[in-house]
Amino acid sequence: MADPAAARPDHSPAHPLALTEARAEQTSLGDSMASARFNIVNLGPETDELVEASSPDFESVVLHAPRGLIISGQDRIAAATARIPSRSLLTIGSHGIKLLLIDPVRPLRPGTRIPLTLRFRNSGHITIDLQVPADGQRAQLTTD
């Protein structure tokens, strides 16, 4: 189990979120994409929402939800988000919600760490380190 201390707020606000078991896995789609996997535990009394993610080690980071993009009443497209209800756990990278790391700026090396900054609607920015497993395990992406 990854150390929850690997999560570090960028600006020292108190927040009710804990992030655990953070890792990055290369996908079966080749070296141009990886998948982030981690748990978000919301210990607070209110729902929060993951609205954006970024990493200096990838050209783009995309949150993919089962239903993809949401179209509003004015035909504007909004990116997928992930809600974390109060006093609950959400696993990113499991069935449904995935965080895709696209076009690495350098090859992923087993045993290294990748910084990933997550932006939450209520808790602000939190940066975690994704461990790249040493065993070369590859994630299988599904269309769910």
Side-chain angles (χ1 to χ4, degrees):
M1 178 188 242
D3 180 2
R8 56 187 187 281
D10 287 345
H11 307 286
S12 304
H15 62 81
L17 302 178
L19 293 107
T20 64
E21 301 184 37
R23 66 186 186 278
E25 298 173 344
Q26 291 184 326
T27 68
S28 56
L29 299 176
D31 293 337
S32 65
M33 186 181 301
S35 176
R37 295 180 181 268
F38 53 92
N39 295 318
I40 305 170
V41 181
N42 184 351
L43 302 170
E46 298 180 9
T47 296
D48 207 337
E49 189 172 16
L50 175 60
V51 295
E52 185 177 65
S54 63
S55 174
D57 290 349
F58 290 86
E59 293 295 326
S60 63
V61 178
V62 177
L63 183 66
H64 174 73
R67 292 191 172 46
L69 300 176
I70 302 164
I71 300 176
S72 72
Q74 298 176 340
D75 293 330
R76 295 164 70 193
I77 297 176
T81 62
R83 296 178 60 84
I84 309 100
S86 169
R87 294 175 176 75
S88 69
L89 174 134
L90 175 68
T91 300
I92 301 292
S94 67
H95 301 289
I97 300 171
K98 295 172 179 48
L99 194 62
L100 304 176
L101 309 167
I102 302 169
D103 293 330
V105 296
R106 64 189 134 285
L108 293 181
R109 301 212 191 280
T112 61
R113 294 185 178 270
I114 298 168
L116 178 69
T117 299
L118 306 169
R119 185 170 67 87
F120 295 90
R121 188 165 311 285
N122 300 323
S123 297
H125 292 82
I126 300 172
T127 298
I128 62 174
D129 289 323
L130 302 173
Q131 178 71 39
V132 179
D135 62 7
Q137 179 181 359
R138 290 190 180 266
Q140 294 296 319
L141 292 183
T142 60
T143 57
D144 59 351

